[in-house]
Amino acid sequence: MAADIRLFPCLTDNFGYLIHNPATKATASIDAPEAGPIVKALEHEGWRLTDILITHHHGDHVGGVAELKQKYGARVVGPHDKTTKIANVDHRVGQGDVVKVGGLLARVLETPGHTLDHISYVFDLEKALFAADTLFSIGCGRVFEGTYPMMWDSLLKLRALPDDFKLYCGHEYTAANVKFALTVEPENAALKARAEEVARLRAANKPTVPTLLGDEKKANVFLRADEPSVAAGVRMKGRSAAEVFGELRERKNKS
Ligand code: ZN
Ligand code: FE
């Protein structure tokens, strides 16, 4: 089943995403950082918003929900409310649930760590992963509410998806992520190739997403915390992957 996916900037460094099914004309927004750019993208395409799929409660992901819901009468899907109240949610989902967007199917993965309520949406037939603030290109989200082992488990869930799936993440943070990753794995050929690609894209003012999950597995140090080269890069040879991951995250926080 073919779907059209559009991405565009929102707020300072968020991505807005629309996924559209031409057969049923259903259109979902993945998160809603702010209403303006989402309305503009919908009008540009001639699409009508039917669903909003929320990943977590942070303001830069839900700020536009109320306005969009009012304007389009869209159904709002969000995570089971474990820690916070997200307003305007019509349908709450958790691990393994399948959300229907017209003829499209999105599988829900619970990916806590950045927040306790964070979920990711996987469109298996379209080979598309919307991971918001859990997994970035060459990076991952800050661990605000969960623990490092919890976030590492969430990253393993995403890493288990096939190499030919595309990653659509929540923010344009790739250039800063590459800079940090090179301090850990300076000799990683896939990372060096990605660094060049990102420099080229940013110089042309183009987004660095989507990326292939297979490429992220080779170049994203946060997905590689169980690789000896990454453990060595933070002087933690022989330590558990979750410990190495925690050290990576703390170093990135300070970078
Ligand atoms: Zn967030
Ligand atoms: Fe965010």
Side-chain angles (χ1 to χ4, degrees):
M1 174 114 27
D4 295 324
I5 297 174
R6 295 289 180 270
L7 69 93
F8 43 90
C10 284
L11 301 173
T12 313
D13 50 34
N14 281 74
F15 286 116
Y17 291 113
L18 295 173
I19 182 164
H20 173 78
N21 181 353
T24 63
K25 304 207 185 306
T27 305
S29 178
I30 312 299
D31 284 331
E34 56 177 337
I38 297 172
V39 171
K40 206 173 137 203
L42 287 162
E43 288 177 354
H44 179 77
E45 300 292 345
W47 297 345
R48 184 181 172 79
L49 191 68
T50 53
D51 300 85
I52 302 170
L53 310 185
I54 298 174
T55 60
H56 67 296
H57 68 83
H58 283 161
D60 63 312
H61 296 259
V62 301
V65 170
E67 190 178 333
L68 291 170
K69 182 173 180 172
Q70 203 193 352
K71 185 172 170 71
Y72 297 101
R75 174 184 65 152
V76 179
V77 178
H80 281 303
D81 242 354
K82 294 195 188 102
T83 52
T84 46
K85 291 268 171 277
I86 302 176
N88 297 300
V89 175
D90 301 304
H91 182 53
R92 295 188 185 279
V93 292
Q95 178 71 29
D97 286 343
V98 174
V99 181
K100 286 187 187 151
V101 177
L104 307 175
L105 299 177
R107 191 157 52 89
V108 175
L109 299 181
E110 290 185 359
T111 50
H114 175 71
T115 62
L116 292 178
D117 67 350
H118 198 298
I119 57 176
S120 299
Y121 295 94
V122 182
F123 291 77
D124 285 293
L125 290 172
E126 290 72 26
K127 300 179 190 272
L129 162 65
F130 292 91
D133 291 0
T134 296
L135 177 63
F136 297 128
S137 180
I138 318 296
C140 73
R142 279 184 188 250
V143 180
F144 286 122
E145 296 180 3
T147 64
Y148 293 135
M150 180 192 286
M151 185 70 161
W152 172 242
D153 280 348
S154 293
L155 293 177
L156 288 179
K157 273 189 196 174
L158 301 182
R159 196 177 73 175
L161 293 168
D163 287 357
D164 61 346
F165 276 39
K166 283 180 180 162
L167 167 67
Y168 296 87
C169 58
H171 291 266
E172 180 59 86
Y173 289 159
T174 316
N177 290 339
V178 163
K179 193 174 163 210
F180 170 74
L182 283 168
T183 68
V184 179
E185 276 196 302
E187 300 306 326
N188 179 327
L191 175 57
K192 287 197 273 188
R194 179 66 171 146
E196 280 177 25
E197 181 184 37
V198 167
R200 214 165 42 237
L201 287 167
R202 297 311 292 151
N205 208 18
K206 288 185 179 154
T208 61
V209 297
T211 60
L212 284 174
L213 215 43
D215 291 339
E216 288 297 316
K217 292 176 196 178
K218 288 187 219 150
N220 186 332
V221 294
F222 292 94
L223 284 182
R224 297 166 53 77
D226 52 356
E227 287 285 334
S229 56
V230 173
V234 291
R235 303 191 188 288
M236 289 185 75
K237 259 182 161 166
R239 304 283 284 276
S240 76
E243 287 176 302
V244 173
F245 170 75
E247 175 66 16
L248 287 168
R249 192 55 261 180
E250 292 199 1
R251 287 187 183 208
K252 176 66 174 66
N253 292 349
K254 291 176 206 140
S255 75

